[in-house]
Amino acid sequence: MSTLLSRHLEALEGCAAQLSEDQVQAWIRALRTPHANFTAAQSRQAHTLAGELQACWPGLCRQLAQALTTQIRQARVGQAPQFAPSRPAPLFALSDFALVDEAQAERDILIARLVQQVELQAEWELRELLGRVNCLAALDGLRRFELSNYPASPAVFARALCQLAQGLPFAPNQIELLMRVVGPTLGVTLKSQYAAWSRALAEQGAPAARYSLAASSPPAHERLAQLLSTPQLDPGLRSALESLRAPVRALAQAQGQSLALTGADPALALVEAIAELFDNHRPAHRSQSLALGLRPALSRLETRLSPQAADFVRALQEVQELAEQDVQQQLQEAAPTVRVLLQAEQEQCLLPCVQEQISEQLRRAPALSPLLLNLMTGAWAQAIAHSLATEGESAPASQRLMGTLDALILSLHRPKGEAERQRQVQELPTLIAQVQDCLRLLALPEAAQAPILDALMKTHRRLLFRSRTPPAVATATEIEWDDASFQAQAADHWQRSDTDLGQLPTVPLPLEEQGAASAWLEQLPIGSRCKVFLLGQWVTARLIWRSDNGKFFMFSSPLASGSHTMTRRALEKLRAAGLLTDLAPSLRSQTSPTHAAGPALSVE
């Protein structure tokens, strides 16, 4: 790597502290500036939030600088961003594999919005900077920098800001208000910073970017040369593409004009299919296995003196069959994950039934404290549903959880007579011991168990032990009604006024979009290739499995060691936000759905 390019990449980390200070100051200024689209209540909240940000300004700058430095370093070494845990680990560890849930989808939507706002304001400055950086990379024979791997891309800053927002000690409405000003301020900051970096490279001798009009569908031999010129190309993919040089050239010489007229090039389709096959397989053993599987089909093409279009179509069919076999192989490797997902889906189906049954039993009991109600219909119900899904109804843990809960609910009914009261008092120590055992099964910490046991003790004392001094009952003479003053009050001025829904701090749920996203998801077949925006980047993912009830979907992709699982609600959110789409066969080589058709201006 040249000294100039190395110094530039090192300078990116060095600017993290100053960029963080500039950003936080810009947030405070933006929150204190009047906004026409802010309501009066939001304006007051913005001024309050600006004061709170000012109070914790030094620590906030350090946290943002640390997050930026981490994201820049990960991008420099080529480390893929990781899925952040969205909630505490449940009783069974779905965190053992990559699960994209609704919270992760919301973070990805936030990152996408921040990236779009930055690109709207700093598109030209970023293009110029990337052009100069890529000129230096080409001189060194290094891989081109794209927005997906450039250490100072908008997605890098957006991920750092999203990571910071997760840890801020503010209320959700304050975080939402802050995010409304973060995007514009980030765009202004990066616009000037990209321009400054580009000027610094120009002053040090970096050549300017050169632009060319790139065709959306290059001929097969040009696409093949483009793939083979990529540094750090997968060895298995390079071997397969090298064997296609001569057959593709021969077909272009023999039938190039007729293929151009028909618009159907089987050689280009074969090249793209092979590139897609290796797209999601980073491990070396998977690459070698696929290369061996391709060898028979490619060898037949090599041995033909004058290959025809039909030969490429036949080879394409074999590649597609190999892709299906590869999907089955991935499913076999992911069998433990699939088992956990099926158990999770069964638990989600059982949980409402368990909660409904517990609520029905509690309906006949006296009024309980919210703490006990939340325990029984929340953590206890989840533990029962989990035990039923994973171990079965006859398992000791299931019987203990259900039996203890039934006995506990029964003890919360007022006894009908003295004999029943005496019996419940005698059984109470054994019951409390069983409850403590179940609380340990729920994995509740000791600090959380103490208030529960205290609430139980108070409830049992009220139901089972008589009070010597009955509470005083108010008589009718002690209650005075001032009817005259009540009737003299003016009528509520809200009664006859219309409510302006546009002034309410609510966002209507796009029901039609959610319904359309759900319908699209229902029709998505196994094996479909999709473009999905995850962790600040567009990735190509292939659907390889869906659960029986359609609550979980598994994709193979370059993220998360080759595969990741997504919940249905996460997919629907991404689809409704325009961050998930399926790919037509002719568009799979594109980098993102926005580049699906038409000529593009590329930086050489």
Side-chain angles (χ1 to χ4, degrees):
M1 183 181 297
S2 65
T3 305
L4 182 55
L5 180 58
S6 177
R7 283 203 305 265
H8 169 70
L9 296 179
E10 291 174 358
L12 300 181
E13 290 186 35
C15 294
Q18 186 60 47
L19 282 173
S20 300
E21 294 181 5
D22 295 342
Q23 266 301 106
V24 176
Q25 289 177 352
W27 299 346
I28 296 174
R29 287 195 301 269
L31 289 170
R32 288 174 174 168
T33 302
H35 290 266
N37 56 347
F38 276 13
T39 63
Q42 288 175 333
S43 298
R44 290 192 297 270
Q45 291 178 0
H47 279 276
T48 302
L49 181 58
E52 295 180 4
L53 291 177
Q54 186 70 52
C56 61
W57 182 79
L60 195 60
C61 292
R62 285 194 300 270
Q63 293 177 21
L64 181 55
Q66 184 178 1
L68 276 177
T69 303
T70 301
Q71 293 293 336
I72 292 173
R73 287 176 180 172
Q74 289 179 353
R76 285 193 63 183
V77 300
Q79 179 180 347
Q82 301 295 319
F83 296 107
S86 58
R87 57 180 181 270
L91 293 176
F92 60 100
L94 281 179
S95 57
D96 291 343
F97 52 89
L99 176 66
V100 182
D101 58 1
E102 188 176 1
Q104 179 65 50
E106 291 175 352
R107 285 193 291 270
D108 287 320
I109 292 173
L110 173 60
I111 291 174
R113 289 173 178 170
L114 292 176
V115 170
Q116 290 172 355
Q117 289 178 308
V118 171
E119 290 180 347
L120 282 174
Q121 298 187 59
E123 178 183 6
W124 182 251
E125 289 77 9
L126 178 58
R127 188 189 297 272
E128 281 291 300
L129 175 61
L130 267 180
R132 293 187 184 276
V133 170
N134 280 326
C135 287
L136 295 176
L139 293 176
D140 294 342
L142 299 177
R143 181 182 178 183
R144 285 175 52 85
F145 285 97
E146 306 290 347
L147 289 179
S148 58
N149 63 346
Y150 181 55
S153 68
V156 170
F157 291 90
R159 284 196 295 266
L161 289 172
C162 188
Q163 177 183 343
L164 175 70
Q166 283 184 270
L168 291 178
F170 300 141
N173 61 335
Q174 291 179 306
I175 298 294
E176 181 181 356
L177 191 62
L178 177 61
M179 289 297 106
R180 293 180 63 175
V181 303
V182 162
T185 57
L186 181 62
V188 172
T189 301
L190 291 184
K191 180 182 177 71
S192 61
Q193 188 61 58
Y194 288 152
W197 282 332
S198 184
R199 287 194 302 270
L201 288 176
E203 293 171 357
Q204 297 176 40
R210 295 171 297 173
Y211 298 94
S212 63
L213 192 63
S216 58
S217 295
H221 64 280
E222 292 185 8
R223 176 61 175 156
L224 187 61
Q226 178 185 1
L227 289 172
L228 287 172
S229 63
T230 305
Q232 303 174 356
L233 190 65
D234 183 275
L237 177 58
R238 182 178 296 279
S239 174
L241 295 179
E242 287 285 358
S243 63
L244 284 177
R245 278 185 181 273
V248 167
R249 190 181 304 111
L251 181 66
Q253 293 174 354
Q255 304 181 21
Q257 187 174 1
S258 61
L259 292 176
L261 292 176
T262 59
D265 189 350
L268 178 60
L270 179 61
V271 171
E272 296 293 0
I274 293 175
E276 289 172 0
L277 190 61
F278 283 83
D279 185 31
N280 297 330
H281 299 284
R282 301 298 179 88
H285 72 281
R286 300 295 303 132
S287 173
Q288 295 172 0
S289 175
L290 291 174
L292 291 175
L294 287 172
R295 185 169 299 171
L298 300 182
S299 298
R300 281 192 293 271
L301 280 177
E302 283 185 295
T303 56
R304 294 294 298 270
L305 297 178
S306 56
Q308 304 297 313
D311 298 324
F312 283 88
V313 172
R314 192 178 304 110
L316 177 61
Q317 293 175 350
E318 296 183 27
V319 171
Q320 292 171 345
E321 292 175 0
L322 181 62
E324 295 299 327
Q325 297 174 7
D326 182 60
V327 169
Q328 298 302 320
Q329 179 65 29
Q330 291 183 66
L331 284 178
Q332 292 179 5
E333 295 177 355
T337 299
V338 171
R339 283 195 297 270
V340 174
L341 290 173
L342 291 176
Q343 291 176 356
E345 185 177 56
Q346 185 180 4
E347 178 178 343
Q348 290 183 2
C349 294
L350 287 172
L351 181 57
C353 301
V354 175
Q355 289 175 328
E356 182 179 0
Q357 184 176 356
I358 294 174
S359 299
E360 181 64 27
Q361 291 178 275
L362 291 173
R363 193 172 291 118
R364 297 187 294 269
L368 300 178
S369 66
L371 181 62
L372 294 179
L373 285 174
N374 292 336
L375 169 70
M376 296 180 189
T377 59
W380 206 310
Q382 291 175 3
I384 292 176
H386 170 66
S387 184
L388 292 175
T390 56
E391 302 182 30
E393 185 177 358
S394 59
S398 302
Q399 292 295 320
R400 193 185 323 163
L401 287 168
M402 292 188 295
T404 303
L405 183 60
D406 290 341
L408 178 59
I409 294 176
L410 187 62
S411 72
L412 297 176
H413 290 74
R414 191 176 297 278
K416 298 179 180 179
E418 180 63 23
E420 184 176 348
R421 188 186 71 83
Q422 291 289 345
R423 179 180 59 80
Q424 290 186 10
V425 170
Q426 294 176 358
E427 294 174 351
L428 196 57
T430 303
L431 176 61
I432 296 301
Q434 294 173 350
V435 169
Q436 289 176 316
D437 185 38
C438 289
L439 292 180
R440 285 190 289 268
L441 282 179
L442 302 184
L444 292 179
E446 294 291 338
Q449 294 182 26
I452 294 173
L453 296 175
D454 185 57
L456 275 178
M457 182 181 65
K458 293 178 180 178
T459 304
H460 283 130
R461 181 185 295 121
R462 175 168 52 87
L463 294 173
L464 300 178
F465 299 95
R466 298 175 180 175
S467 176
R468 295 183 179 179
T469 57
V473 179
T475 62
T477 57
E478 296 175 346
I479 302 176
E480 296 181 0
W481 296 95
D482 191 0
D483 294 337
S485 61
F486 178 79
Q487 294 177 0
Q489 292 180 2
D492 189 353
H493 70 280
W494 286 101
Q495 289 181 354
R496 300 182 180 274
S497 65
D498 293 330
T499 302
D500 185 2
L501 296 180
Q503 298 298 323
L504 297 179
T506 58
V507 179
L509 180 67
L511 296 178
E512 294 182 356
E513 294 183 5
Q514 288 294 119
S518 180
W520 174 85
L521 202 56
E522 288 290 343
Q523 300 174 0
L524 189 66
I526 299 295
S528 300
R529 285 187 176 271
C530 304
K531 280 290 183 182
V532 56
F533 189 85
L534 288 176
L535 302 175
Q537 59 183 314
W538 286 100
V539 297
T540 303
R542 182 172 186 174
L543 178 62
I544 62 175
W545 175 84
R546 76 167 79 209
S547 61
D548 295 337
N549 291 341
K551 293 184 179 295
F552 296 102
F553 295 75
M554 184 181 294
F555 292 84
S556 62
S557 76
L559 298 178
S561 303
S563 67
H564 60 270
T565 306
M566 303 184 72
T567 63
R568 183 184 189 89
R569 291 181 61 85
L571 290 171
E572 290 176 350
K573 278 183 171 291
L574 292 173
R575 174 68 179 180
L579 302 179
L580 171 64
T581 184
D582 56 331
L583 295 181
S586 60
L587 304 180
R588 292 173 182 171
S589 62
Q590 304 299 332
T591 56
S592 71
T594 57
H595 305 150
L601 192 65
S602 64
V603 183
E604 294 183 353

XYZ file of all heavy atoms in Angstrom, residues 215-226 248 252 265 267-268 271-272:
137
model
N -22.335 0.421 -19.040
C -23.555 -0.246 -19.497
C -24.118 -1.114 -18.394
O -23.379 -1.673 -17.580
C -23.254 -1.091 -20.734
N -25.457 -1.234 -18.366
C -26.085 -2.027 -17.312
C -25.866 -3.519 -17.519
O -25.827 -4.274 -16.564
C -27.586 -1.716 -17.253
O -28.179 -1.980 -18.513
N -25.732 -3.979 -18.775
C -25.522 -5.403 -19.059
C -24.374 -5.541 -20.042
O -24.582 -5.512 -21.268
C -26.798 -6.038 -19.635
O -27.828 -6.033 -18.692
N -23.134 -5.660 -19.560
C -21.993 -5.798 -20.472
C -22.016 -7.167 -21.136
O -22.645 -8.104 -20.641
C -20.790 -5.636 -19.543
C -21.290 -6.101 -18.214
C -22.731 -5.705 -18.160
N -21.324 -7.328 -22.264
C -21.217 -8.660 -22.882
C -20.550 -9.646 -21.939
O -19.879 -9.264 -20.969
C -20.374 -8.396 -24.129
C -20.501 -6.928 -24.393
C -20.694 -6.284 -23.061
N -20.716 -10.926 -22.259
C -20.227 -11.972 -21.359
C -18.722 -11.895 -21.177
O -18.215 -12.043 -20.056
C -20.642 -13.337 -21.885
N -17.974 -11.670 -22.283
C -16.516 -11.668 -22.151
C -16.037 -10.458 -21.346
O -15.046 -10.537 -20.615
C -15.859 -11.694 -23.537
C -16.136 -10.485 -24.367
N -17.319 -10.307 -25.063
C -15.387 -9.364 -24.623
C -17.282 -9.162 -25.711
N -16.131 -8.566 -25.448
N -16.748 -9.315 -21.446
C -16.364 -8.155 -20.640
C -16.691 -8.379 -19.168
O -15.903 -8.009 -18.283
C -17.082 -6.905 -21.154
C -16.627 -6.457 -22.536
C -17.282 -5.166 -22.945
O -17.962 -4.559 -22.089
O -17.136 -4.762 -24.121
N -17.838 -8.971 -18.909
C -18.205 -9.269 -17.512
C -17.226 -10.273 -16.912
O -16.833 -10.154 -15.745
C -19.635 -9.818 -17.470
C -20.102 -10.259 -16.104
C -20.115 -9.130 -15.115
N -20.686 -9.530 -13.830
C -20.426 -8.942 -12.687
N -19.587 -7.917 -12.641
N -20.999 -9.354 -11.574
N -16.812 -11.248 -17.718
C -15.848 -12.244 -17.252
C -14.515 -11.583 -16.929
O -13.901 -11.859 -15.882
C -15.680 -13.328 -18.316
C -14.835 -14.542 -17.948
C -15.440 -15.277 -16.766
C -14.714 -15.482 -19.136
N -14.054 -10.702 -17.810
C -12.788 -10.005 -17.550
C -12.897 -9.107 -16.327
O -11.952 -8.980 -15.543
C -12.398 -9.186 -18.782
N -14.065 -8.503 -16.146
C -14.265 -7.634 -14.977
C -14.164 -8.430 -13.683
O -13.537 -7.993 -12.706
C -15.627 -6.959 -15.086
C -15.976 -6.069 -13.911
C -17.391 -5.529 -14.004
O -18.116 -5.828 -14.939
N -17.774 -4.738 -13.018
N -16.332 -18.807 -23.882
C -17.076 -17.555 -24.025
C -16.575 -16.779 -25.234
O -17.366 -16.214 -26.007
C -16.948 -16.727 -22.732
C -17.439 -15.300 -22.957
C -17.732 -17.365 -21.604
N -18.798 -15.840 -28.606
C -18.943 -14.447 -29.023
C -18.516 -14.262 -30.473
O -19.144 -13.508 -31.236
C -18.127 -13.534 -28.108
N -28.221 -13.794 -23.785
C -26.857 -14.295 -23.861
C -26.687 -15.391 -22.821
O -26.529 -15.099 -21.629
C -25.869 -13.153 -23.609
C -24.430 -13.557 -23.898
O -24.191 -14.767 -24.114
O -23.559 -12.671 -23.901
N -24.180 -17.245 -22.268
C -22.845 -17.198 -21.670
C -22.818 -16.210 -20.504
O -22.250 -16.492 -19.443
C -21.816 -16.808 -22.726
N -23.463 -15.043 -20.694
C -23.532 -14.070 -19.599
C -24.340 -14.627 -18.431
O -23.968 -14.453 -17.264
C -24.161 -12.770 -20.106
C -24.350 -11.668 -19.057
C -23.014 -11.250 -18.451
C -25.055 -10.462 -19.671
N -22.099 -17.020 -16.519
C -21.091 -16.314 -15.720
C -21.725 -15.743 -14.455
O -21.175 -15.865 -13.348
C -20.433 -15.207 -16.563
C -19.545 -14.329 -15.682
C -19.608 -15.809 -17.686
N -22.896 -15.117 -14.596
C -23.559 -14.539 -13.429
C -24.002 -15.626 -12.453
O -23.919 -15.441 -11.236
C -24.774 -13.715 -13.876
C -24.441 -12.501 -14.720
C -23.698 -11.431 -13.948
O -23.429 -11.635 -12.735
O -23.364 -10.397 -14.540
